[in-house]
Amino acid sequence: MYFCTVIAYNPSSMKQKLVMSLAALLVLLAVCAHRYEGPRPFSIRQAAGRSAADAWKAGEVVPPATLSAATLAQCFRAEPIGDDLLRRISGRSYRPNPHVRPSDLRYLRVLHYDGQGRILRGELICHKTIAADLLSIFRELYDHRYPIGRMQLIDDYDADDERSMRANNTTCFCYRNIASSARISKHALGLAVDINPLYNPYYRRYASGRVKIQPSTAAPYCDRTRAFPYKIDRTDLCYRLFVRHGFRWGGAWKTVKDYQHFEK
C-alpha cells in the first residue's frame, strides 16, 4: 500500500523526486526484511540427501522436536564406504588386507539414547552381511530408549581399543588380531559389535592366577552380581535382540567372559 502511494505522488522538483525515490526504497527494504525469517536451523531432513561424512556428526544431540516419522526413517540407514570415509579410516581401523575390502563394509548411521535420556547421533562400520540385522536391532533399542553411552567410529580414538572402551564407546569394525593371538578378530571382518564396553568388560583369569581385564579401568564391573547402569545380562533387551538375530554373546563363553561382545 505504501509503495503504491509513493508512486502515485508526482513531485514537481528534482529534489522531491530524489526524496520520494529514497523513501520508496526504504519501504521496499522494510517489507523484505519483515518477510525474511532468517536461516532455518539444521535438521535431519536436510541431511538425508547429503553424504554421511558431511551430514552425520556422531555424538551430537538431536532435539526430539526435529524428529518426525519421515525424518526418523532416514536416521537408520546403511551406506557404502565412500572416498571421504575411506580416507578417514585408512591407516587407523582399516588397512589393505586379504580378508575384507571397503566394498564389503557398510557405514551405518543410527540414533540412540544415552544414560541421561538424550538422543544422540551414532555411527558404526560393519560387514554388509549384518548391516540389516544391526539396523533392526538399534532401531528397536532406540524405540525402547535403551541407553548406549556413545557410538562413534573407533578411528576417533586412533583405532586404540583400550581408549575407546574406557570412553564406553560402542564399536564394530576394526582390522586387528584377537588379543594375544595371531588370528584376526571378528571385528577385523566387521562381524562383531562391542556394546557399552566400559560396563561390560572382557575378563579372563589364567591358571597362574593372573587376571586380564579390558578396559583396564573396568574392574568394578566384573562383579556381575552387582546392579549398575548399562549392564548386559541374559535378561537384558540388548542381549535378547542380538541373540534373536543369530549373534553369539561373549558373556556366555566359558574360558573367558566378554560381556560387551556380540559376533556372527
Side-chain angles (χ1 to χ4, degrees), residues 48-68:
R50 298 164 58 192
S51 71
D54 291 336
W56 199 257
K57 302 298 182 184
E60 288 186 348
V61 177
V62 178
T66 65
L67 294 172
S68 65

Side-chain angles (χ1 to χ4, degrees), residues 5 20 120 175 178 191:
T5 302
M20 290 301 100
L120 303 182
Y175 192 83
I178 298 173
L191 293 172

Side-chain angles (χ1 to χ4, degrees), residues 95 174-188:
R95 58 183 184 272
C174 185
Y175 192 83
R176 59 179 173 81
N177 290 341
I178 298 173
S180 305
S181 170
R183 294 180 294 135
I184 63 167
S185 164
K186 285 279 188 175
H187 289 286

Side-chain angles (χ1 to χ4, degrees), residues 65-76:
T66 65
L67 294 172
S68 65
T71 57
L72 189 58
Q74 297 296 319
C75 296
F76 291 84

Side-chain angles (χ1 to χ4, degrees), residues 20-245:
M20 290 301 100
S21 297
L22 289 174
L25 179 60
L26 290 173
V27 171
L28 183 61
L29 290 174
V31 172
C32 292
H34 176 73
R35 291 179 178 176
Y36 179 62
E37 299 176 351
R40 295 180 179 179
F42 176 81
S43 69
I44 294 175
R45 184 186 298 276
Q46 290 172 311
R50 298 164 58 192
S51 71
D54 291 336
W56 199 257
K57 302 298 182 184
E60 288 186 348
V61 177
V62 178
T66 65
L67 294 172
S68 65
T71 57
L72 189 58
Q74 297 296 319
C75 296
F76 291 84
R77 299 178 59 180
E79 302 172 353
I81 305 299
D83 292 340
D84 290 343
L85 185 55
L86 184 57
R87 281 190 289 270
R88 178 183 170 189
I89 66 176
S90 291
R92 294 183 177 89
S93 66
Y94 181 82
R95 58 183 184 272
N97 66 88
H99 303 291
V100 63
R101 300 165 297 177
S103 59
D104 297 323
L105 302 172
R106 292 294 181 267
Y107 175 83
L108 271 56
R109 60 187 191 188
V110 304
L111 296 179
H112 66 93
Y113 283 86
D114 69 0
Q116 289 73 52
R118 302 176 300 175
I119 301 172
L120 303 182
R121 296 185 178 99
E123 62 182 357
L124 284 173
I125 292 178
C126 69
H127 197 278
K128 61 185 179 183
T129 58
I130 66 168
D133 288 314
L134 294 186
L135 287 177
S136 177
I137 290 169
F138 286 116
R139 177 57 194 268
E140 191 159 351
L141 290 175
Y142 170 82
D143 288 342
H144 286 82
R145 297 180 175 240
Y146 185 93
I148 296 174
R150 64 182 64 194
M151 194 187 306
Q152 299 170 217
L153 299 190
I154 198 171
D155 305 271
D156 289 352
Y157 300 87
D158 293 321
D160 186 321
D161 200 33
E162 177 73 13
R163 283 181 55 204
S164 178
M165 287 190 292
R166 287 187 184 192
N168 199 33
N169 184 45
T170 292
T171 60
C172 181
F173 173 75
C174 185
Y175 192 83
R176 59 179 173 81
N177 290 341
I178 298 173
S180 305
S181 170
R183 294 180 294 135
I184 63 167
S185 164
K186 285 279 188 175
H187 289 286
L189 303 176
L191 293 172
V193 185
D194 289 343
I195 306 289
N196 290 327
L198 174 61
Y199 298 89
N200 299 283
Y202 172 99
Y203 175 88
R204 182 169 187 174
R205 179 179 291 276
Y206 294 88
S208 64
R210 182 174 70 91
V211 172
K212 181 176 183 179
I213 300 172
Q214 292 182 303
S216 58
T217 54
Y221 309 110
C222 292
D223 181 359
R224 308 308 284 184
T225 65
R226 295 178 53 216
F228 46 81
Y230 301 111
K231 178 182 173 184
I232 298 174
D233 58 24
R234 293 181 187 273
T235 67
D236 184 65
L237 176 62
C238 183
Y239 165 82
R240 289 186 279 117
L241 290 177
F242 271 97
V243 170
R244 185 187 305 167
H245 282 263

